[in-house]
C-alpha cells in the first residue's frame, strides 16, 4: 500500500500540472526543468504522516476513490490498483418479484476482463482478507476471445443484492457521489444526476475526472468513437480528452460534465478512464500523461445492461 504525505502529493501534482511534465521542459526550458526536478526531490523527502485522502476507507462507496482487485494470472496472485468510476445497479426477476443488484463500475482491465475477481476498498489487507472486501466482478465488457480487441473496457463489481416487490430499494453499500478532497468545485461530494446526453457531445467540451492518484482535474474533449491501440490490444469506442493529468492507478475513474444548480455542482457521467500514452514518470514509478481515453458511458450501460445509480 502506498502511503503519501498530503503536502507532498498535493504540491507534487500542482508542480507537474503547471509545467506539463519534464518531457516538455528538457531541451526547451532547462532552468525550469531543473527547478521542477529539485522541487519534486525536496517534496519526496517529506515523511509520510497520513494517507492520501483518496486511499482511505469509504463507506458507502463513492466515485473517484481507490480500489484493489485480486485474482490469479499465470498461476500467480495479482493485485491491481484502480479507481471507482460510478455507482450502478441492475434488476433481475419476474413480475413483482425482483432482485436489485448494486455495485460500482471500473475499468475492465483492472481484473484483466475476468469475472469472479474479488475487489477491496481501499486495499487488500494481507492479515485480514475480508476486512476491506466490497464484492466481486460479476459482469465484464465485450471483447474478442483472445483479449486483443476490447469493445467495452468496463466491469461491474457487485456489492449488494436486495429483494423487492413494489418499492425499489436504496443501497447501503454505494452512494451517488463523486469525491473531491480539495473541494475544487465547492464541495467534497459532488452528486451524480445521471448520464450526459450523447447528442450534446462536442469538441472542446470542458469535462472533469477524479482518480485516486491525481485527484480532481479538468480537460477538454477532442474526439469520440475513437480507437486506441496499445501493447498489442485495440480498445474501441473511446472518448479522447486532452490537457488532463492522469497516472497509473486512475484507471476506471469517472469522466463527467458539471452543471450548477445555484452554487451547487452536479455531475453527469460521460465515461470511465481506460488510459493514455506514457509521457513522464513520477518518483514513485507511476507513468502519467495529459492525453487520455475513456470508455463511453452510453455503450457501457448498454453492453453491461446496467443503470447509473443517481442522487434522487
Amino acid at each position: 500500500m502506498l502511503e503519501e504525505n498530503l503536502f507532498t502529493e498535493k504540491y507534487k501534482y500542482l508542480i507537474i500540472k503547471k509545467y506539463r511534465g519534464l518531457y516538455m521542459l528538457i531541451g526547451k526550458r532547462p532552468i525550469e526543468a531543473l527547478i521542477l526536478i529539485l522541487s519534486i526531490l525536496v517534496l519526496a523527502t517529506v515523511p509520510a504522516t497520513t494517507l492520501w485522502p483518496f486511499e482511505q476507507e469509504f463507506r458507502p462507496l463513492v466515485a473517484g476513490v481507490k480500489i484493489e482487485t485480486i485474482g490469479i494470472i499465470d498461476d500467480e496472485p495479482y493485485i491491481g490498483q484502480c479507481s471507482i468510476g460510478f455507482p450502478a445497479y441492475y434488476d433481475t426477476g419476474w413480475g413483482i418479484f425482483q432482485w436489485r443488484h448494486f455495485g460500482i463500475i471500473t475499468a475492465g482491465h483492472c481484473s484483466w476482463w475476468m469475472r469472479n475477481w474479488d475487489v477491496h476498498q481501499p486495499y487488500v489487507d494481507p492479515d485480514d482478507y475480508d476486512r476491506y472486501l466490497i464484492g466481486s466482478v460479476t459482469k465484464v465488457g465485450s471483447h474478442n476471445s483472445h483479449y486483443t480487441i476490447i469493445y467495452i473496457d468496463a466491469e461491474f463489481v457487485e456489492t449488494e443484492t436486495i429483494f423487492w416487490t413494489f418499492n425499489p430499494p436504496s443501497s447501503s453499500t454505494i452512494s451517488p457521489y463523486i469525491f473531491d478532497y480539495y473541494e475544487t468545485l465547492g464541495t467534497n461530494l459532488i452528486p451524480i444526476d445521471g448520464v450526459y446526453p450523447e447528442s450534446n457531445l462536442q469538441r472542446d467540451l470542458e469535462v472533469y475526472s477524479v482518480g485516486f492518484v491525481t485527484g480532481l482535474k479538468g480537460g477538454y474533449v477532442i474526439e469520440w468513437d475513437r480507437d486506441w491501440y496499445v501493447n498489442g490490444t485495440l480498445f474501441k469506442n473511446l472518448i479522447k480528452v486532452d490537457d488532463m493529468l492522469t497516472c497509473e492507478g486512475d484507471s476506471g475513474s469517472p469522466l463527467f460534465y458539471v452543471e450548477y444548480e445555484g452554487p451547487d455542482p452536479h455531475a453527469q457521467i460521460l465515461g470511465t478512464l481506460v488510459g493514455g500514452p506514457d509521457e513522464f514518470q513520477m518518483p514513485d514509478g507511476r507513468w502519467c500523461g495529459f492525453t487520455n481515453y475513456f470508455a463511453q458511458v452510453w455503450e457501457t450501460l448498454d453492453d453491461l445492461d446496467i443503470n447509473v445509480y443517481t442522487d434522487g
Side-chain angles (χ1 to χ4, degrees):
M1 177 180 175
L2 299 175
E3 292 192 359
E4 299 287 348
N5 181 275
L6 297 186
F7 177 86
T8 303
E9 282 299 312
K10 179 180 179 182
Y11 287 97
K12 185 190 299 179
Y13 160 63
L14 291 177
I15 289 171
I16 290 179
K17 182 177 180 182
K18 179 178 179 181
Y19 292 108
R20 292 181 60 84
L22 289 173
Y23 72 100
M24 290 190 63
L25 296 179
I26 296 175
K28 296 181 179 180
R29 292 183 291 181
I31 296 178
E32 292 183 355
L34 178 61
I35 293 173
L36 174 59
I37 294 171
L38 293 175
S39 299
I40 291 176
L41 290 175
V42 170
L43 292 171
T45 63
V46 178
T49 58
T50 184
L51 291 179
W52 178 229
F54 298 85
E55 294 189 284
Q56 295 178 16
E57 181 182 8
F58 285 82
R59 299 295 184 274
L61 302 166
V62 293
V65 301
K66 179 184 178 181
I67 54 175
E68 287 192 347
T69 61
I70 182 168
I72 302 296
I73 296 291
D74 296 330
D75 298 322
E76 294 290 336
Y78 177 91
I79 294 178
Q81 294 184 344
C82 285
S83 301
I84 293 178
F86 57 86
Y89 73 93
Y90 68 95
D91 291 324
T92 57
W94 180 83
I96 64 170
F97 302 104
Q98 298 281 328
W99 285 263
R100 178 153 293 186
H101 306 258
F102 293 103
I104 56 100
I105 295 295
T106 190
H109 68 262
C110 297
S111 69
W112 292 82
W113 308 286
M114 288 186 281
R115 296 177 178 84
N116 301 319
W117 277 41
D118 285 343
V119 181
H120 300 243
Q121 198 287 316
Y123 60 90
V124 179
D125 185 343
D127 298 319
D128 185 357
Y129 185 82
D130 293 332
R131 180 182 178 188
Y132 296 125
L133 180 65
I134 61 171
S136 62
V137 178
T138 58
K139 292 188 174 192
V140 294
S142 297
H143 52 77
N144 70 350
S145 59
H146 299 290
Y147 300 95
T148 55
I149 302 177
I150 308 300
Y151 298 101
I152 306 293
D153 186 30
E155 65 187 29
F156 178 80
V157 179
E158 189 162 323
T159 60
E160 179 184 23
T161 302
I162 299 177
F163 175 78
W164 64 283
T165 53
F166 296 103
N167 297 313
S170 298
S171 175
S172 62
T173 58
I174 60 174
S175 185
Y177 292 92
I178 298 170
F179 177 71
D180 174 27
Y181 176 79
Y182 292 109
E183 302 185 9
T184 311
L185 302 177
T187 177
N188 65 358
L189 287 174
I190 305 165
I192 298 172
D193 277 357
V195 175
Y196 186 79
E198 185 176 7
S199 59
N200 290 354
L201 198 57
Q202 58 185 304
R203 184 178 174 84
D204 294 328
L205 180 72
E206 186 175 13
V207 289
Y208 296 88
S209 186
V210 177
F212 94 84
V213 179
T214 54
L216 188 142
K217 57 274 176 183
Y220 297 91
V221 171
I222 301 301
E223 298 176 276
W224 52 95
D225 296 328
R226 175 70 185 268
D227 297 342
W228 179 45
Y229 187 80
V230 58
N231 296 330
T233 301
L234 178 64
F235 292 88
K236 305 283 289 184
N237 308 314
L238 305 175
I239 298 173
K240 183 179 179 181
V241 176
D242 202 4
D243 292 332
M244 177 182 285
L245 174 66
T246 66
C247 297
E248 291 177 306
D250 287 331
S251 291
S253 56
L255 180 70
F256 58 97
Y257 176 78
V258 172
E259 285 189 331
Y260 282 87
E261 295 181 8
D264 302 320
H266 290 253
Q268 294 178 326
I269 303 296
L270 285 85
T272 47
L273 179 63
V274 174
D278 295 337
E279 297 176 352
F280 64 93
Q281 198 168 19
M282 294 285 274
D284 65 2
R286 296 179 189 272
W287 282 99
C288 306
F290 289 90
T291 299
N292 299 279
Y293 294 92
F294 293 80
Q296 299 182 151
V297 68
W298 315 282
E299 302 205 8
T300 295
L301 298 180
D302 182 64
D303 188 69
L304 297 181
D305 193 20
I306 58 171
N307 305 281
V308 176
Y309 185 59
T310 62
D311 181 28

